[in-house]
Amino acid sequence: MAKITAAEVNKLRKATGAGMMDCKKALVETDGDFDKAIEVLRKKGQKVAAKRADRDSAEGAAIAKTNADNTKGVIISLNCETDFVAKNDDFINLAKDFAELALNYNSKEEFLKADYKGISVEDKLTEQTGVIGEKIEIGAFKTLEAPFVGSYIHAGNKIAVITALSKNVEGADEAAKNVSMQAAAMNPVALNENGVDQSTIEKEIEIAKDQLRQEGKPEEMLDNIAKGKIKRFFKDNTLVNQAYIKDSKQSVSDYVKSVDSNLEVVGFKRVGLGE
């Protein structure tokens, strides 16, 4: 039987993130064969993953990243079962690595097959499930492309937002960050009126009419009053029409135009864990 050195155990630990004892056992089992030991640890991850497949993975880290010239942004969430794991530095660093890699892909399916340090992202997730002992998976995967994309991650990595602007102008970085903070705090349902589902509008109209009937308003007046309430709904719930949180006297759209008269918010994506 091969003598397993501390250096070999440490090398395997660095390669896989597994605990020292698990690494030593894997090397003993494989008679010191490094590649086979990695396979042993991955198989352990597969067994743990199978056992925990039906567990809820609502905790984790939501990470937003943009490319070097701010023309593309991505949000991924690396999900786990407990807040204890979600706060672990190694877990957060893995989420950041994944977000950086995700900038090169346009779909979650492509990303899961992507190479991450010699193995696929999918296999890395399985490996880490074995290392950590919890269900680990990619939850959200959202991208945006525009002349300028900025991002914001709320404290604790629980909410991440990317915001797209129509132009790359002086002050675009701060504007995109401020609008992303707005979206993080206010959780708008859409960018503007056109982005609100018709079913949502119809539901809001019915709710408004029911309230008006209970107030004793005549039936013939309901449509006009309900239209006014829908305008209020758009103002409160669509990003560009919301009152800007740093200056409630202007809308988000007005704020962006104060940076550049032709500047517009053309899109946003938001991920909130546990919402």
Side-chain angles (χ1 to χ4, degrees):
M1 190 174 93
K3 187 178 186 304
I4 309 302
T5 67
E8 288 170 325
V9 173
N10 195 41
K11 181 183 173 186
L12 185 59
R13 185 191 67 79
K14 284 182 177 176
T16 63
M20 294 292 277
M21 288 308 296
D22 286 334
C23 289
K24 186 173 181 181
K25 283 178 186 175
L27 284 165
V28 168
E29 185 180 329
T30 59
D31 204 23
D33 189 307
F34 187 79
D35 291 334
K36 285 182 181 176
I38 288 176
E39 284 303 311
V40 166
L41 290 170
R42 282 193 194 136
K43 283 175 183 173
K44 181 193 172 192
Q46 287 166 358
K47 287 176 184 175
V48 175
K51 285 179 183 176
R52 305 189 78 82
D54 60 347
R55 295 295 184 107
D56 184 27
S57 58
E59 296 293 341
I63 305 294
K65 286 265 186 183
T66 58
N67 61 1
D69 61 2
N70 288 95
T71 56
K72 183 177 182 180
V74 66
I75 304 174
I76 66 112
S77 68
L78 183 60
N79 292 11
C80 58
E81 295 176 34
T82 64
D83 194 44
F84 177 77
V85 168
K87 289 177 177 176
N88 180 276
D89 286 344
D90 288 342
F91 181 86
I92 294 166
N93 288 333
L94 180 63
K96 288 177 178 177
D97 278 358
F98 280 163
E100 194 72 47
L101 179 63
L103 281 166
N104 301 307
Y105 300 91
N106 292 315
S107 73
K108 183 174 170 179
E109 291 70 29
E110 281 182 304
F111 172 63
L112 288 171
K113 302 296 180 191
D115 178 80
Y116 176 78
K117 297 183 179 179
I119 61 173
S120 69
V121 170
E122 211 163 27
D123 285 344
K124 185 65 178 178
L125 291 167
T126 301
E127 177 191 280
Q128 289 304 296
T129 294
V131 169
I132 294 168
E134 286 191 11
K135 181 179 180 180
I136 307 292
E137 63 182 354
I138 298 295
F141 183 99
K142 298 185 178 186
T143 65
L144 263 183
E145 293 187 60
F148 190 92
V149 181
S151 65
Y152 171 71
I153 303 172
H154 193 60
N157 304 308
K158 297 302 182 189
I159 302 172
V161 181
I162 46 178
T163 296
L165 301 179
S166 60
K167 294 168 66 181
N168 185 352
V169 296
E170 188 178 346
D173 192 34
E174 186 181 0
K177 183 180 179 182
N178 284 334
V179 175
S180 294
M181 289 174 71
Q182 172 92 21
M186 302 306 292
N187 196 9
V189 299
L191 176 66
N192 53 33
E193 299 95 319
N194 297 332
V196 182
D197 289 340
Q198 190 58 37
S199 60
T200 301
I201 295 172
E202 288 168 4
K203 181 182 172 185
E204 289 298 321
I205 288 172
E206 279 311 306
I207 290 170
K209 283 184 176 180
D210 283 345
Q211 288 173 341
L212 293 167
R213 287 187 188 104
Q214 289 170 26
E215 291 168 11
K217 295 288 192 292
E219 196 69 28
E220 62 272 16
M221 293 176 63
L222 297 188
D223 281 338
N224 280 337
I225 301 174
K227 282 177 186 174
K229 286 187 176 285
I230 282 296
K231 283 183 181 177
R232 180 71 199 184
F233 173 81
F234 288 147
K235 186 176 186 304
D236 291 341
N237 294 281
T238 60
L239 180 59
V240 297
N241 296 308
Q242 284 180 337
Y244 179 43
I245 53 174
K246 290 189 175 183
D247 178 6
S248 60
K249 292 178 182 176
Q250 60 180 340
S251 68
V252 170
S253 178
D254 291 336
Y255 158 66
V256 169
K257 288 193 182 303
S258 74
V259 176
D260 182 285
S261 59
N262 295 313
L263 194 60
E264 293 180 356
V265 183
V266 293
F268 80 99
K269 297 287 175 72
R270 181 186 186 277
V271 171
L273 289 172
E275 292 182 350

